């Protein structure tokens, strides 16, 4: 039973570019949440997708957007990259969106470096 | 505005002894608290949680204590083992569960023989 898988594991971009990160949830899970973990900090909630819609959002600008596909996988897109976007991006999957979502299972993350 | 604070970046404990990791929060709307453990190159894994209606929850070697009046929680690991060496994150939710978790900055625990 595969857990949460994320790709790519590492990538380097330059300021102003755009990036797409991908996440496949744990088998049987239908909800995907994205977190950003800057160096020396804890993960920060970006948004949550359930039933192919953004259900909840944290305090992140519109440059951060996402998508969920019918097979529950998800993408995180960041436009107009800034140096401060350098971080580990974690995907977490769970069952049942909204307020009753179950335990989160995290992937290993995608480490983004913006030069 | 850090709503969840872990003021000790690191903690070193001898094997067999007790490890106590602390966490403070400021938002009185938080009603569910969790601890996650993270090894290098792995995602955080859920360890233990506690609802705001309780003041203690125990799971094997791990116990979480909640003091709502002080807005403080702690994780006790007894006895500590070398395999417990990891970064521990305290997290809180205002939705009664695993949604929109607010994490602290983490405490790196090192358990040495």
């Amino acid at each position: 039973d595969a857990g949460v898988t994320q790709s790519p594991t590492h990538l380097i971009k330059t300021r102003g570019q755009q990036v797409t990160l991908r996440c496949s949830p744990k088998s049987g899970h239908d909800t995907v949440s994205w977190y950003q973990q800057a160096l020396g900090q804890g993960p920060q909630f970006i948004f949550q997708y359930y039933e192919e819609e953004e259900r909840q959002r944290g305090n992140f600008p519109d440059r951060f957007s996402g998508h969920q596909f019918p097979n529950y996988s998800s993408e995180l897109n960041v436009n107009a990259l800034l140096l401060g976007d350098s971080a580990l991006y974690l995907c977490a999957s769970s069952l049942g969106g909204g307020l009753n979502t179950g335990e989160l299972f995290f992937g290993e993350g995608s480490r983004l470096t913006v030069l | 505005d850090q709503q969840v604070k872990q003021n000790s970046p690191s903690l070193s404990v001898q094997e067999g002894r007790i490890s106590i990791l602390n966490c403070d929060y400021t938002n009185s709307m938080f009603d569910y608290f969790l601890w996650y453990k993270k090894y290098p190159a792995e995602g955080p894994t859920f360890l233990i949680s506690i609802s705001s209606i309780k003041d203690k929850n125990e799971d094997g070697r791990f116990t979480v204590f909640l003091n709502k009046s002080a807005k403080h929680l702690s994780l006790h690991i007894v006895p500590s083992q070398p395999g417990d060496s990891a970064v521990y994150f305290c997290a809180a939710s205002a939705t009664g569960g695993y949604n929109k978790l607010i994490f602290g900055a983490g405490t790196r625990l090192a358990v040495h023989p």
Side-chain angles (χ1 to χ4, degrees):
Chain A
D1 178 23
V4 179
T5 58
Q6 294 186 240
S7 63
T9 54
H10 295 83
L11 71 165
I12 299 174
K13 294 284 187 178
T14 58
R15 281 178 296 174
Q17 285 190 312
Q18 179 263 345
V19 67
T20 297
L21 308 178
R22 295 175 178 83
C23 173
S24 292
K26 180 179 170 65
S27 178
H29 284 183
D30 58 7
T31 303
V32 172
S33 302
W34 287 92
Y35 286 79
Q36 179 198 65
Q37 185 182 4
L39 195 63
Q41 302 296 318
Q44 283 193 66
F45 176 77
I46 303 175
F47 42 53
Q48 179 193 80
Y49 276 83
Y50 173 65
E51 293 187 334
E52 301 180 49
E53 291 188 5
E54 182 182 296
R55 295 290 179 158
Q56 299 184 75
R57 190 178 182 92
N59 189 24
F60 279 80
D62 292 344
R63 299 187 297 109
F64 289 77
S65 64
H67 190 79
Q68 185 179 36
F69 300 93
N71 66 353
Y72 307 123
S73 67
S74 177
E75 289 181 349
L76 164 65
N77 301 292
V78 187
N79 294 323
L81 285 168
L82 304 173
L83 296 179
D85 295 331
S86 295
L88 179 69
Y89 288 85
L90 294 163
C91 171
S93 74
S94 55
L95 184 62
L99 295 180
N100 295 319
T101 190
E103 179 184 336
L104 294 182
F105 289 80
F106 284 88
E108 295 180 2
S110 295
R111 183 164 296 283
L112 170 65
T113 301
V114 182
L115 302 177
Chain B
D1 177 23
Q2 274 189 297
Q3 299 185 67
V4 177
K5 298 180 184 180
Q6 294 178 257
N7 293 319
S8 297
S10 63
L11 176 67
S12 182
V13 172
Q14 191 170 17
E15 181 179 5
R17 300 279 194 152
I18 183 172
S19 296
I20 300 176
L21 294 89
N22 294 304
C23 177
D24 297 297
Y25 63 96
T26 57
N27 190 340
S28 58
M29 297 298 292
F30 289 147
D31 56 7
Y32 199 70
F33 303 89
L34 309 93
W35 286 93
Y36 280 81
K37 179 168 71 173
K38 187 179 187 302
Y39 293 117
E42 294 184 12
T45 55
F46 171 74
L47 189 58
I48 192 170
S49 63
I50 187 168
S51 166
S52 60
I53 62 173
K54 296 184 176 181
D55 54 18
K56 176 183 174 181
N57 189 27
E58 192 171 354
D59 184 1
R61 297 186 296 113
F62 303 91
T63 303
V64 57
F65 295 92
L66 175 62
N67 182 335
K68 284 181 291 184
S69 60
K71 293 190 174 66
H72 177 83
L73 65 155
S74 60
L75 173 68
H76 293 210
I77 306 174
V78 182
S80 301
Q81 300 174 353
D84 296 329
S85 298
V87 177
Y88 289 77
F89 292 100
C90 171
S93 167
T95 59
Y98 297 90
N99 271 298
K100 210 172 179 178
L101 298 180
I102 308 298
F103 283 85
T107 296
R108 183 176 301 277
L109 173 66
V111 180
H112 53 89

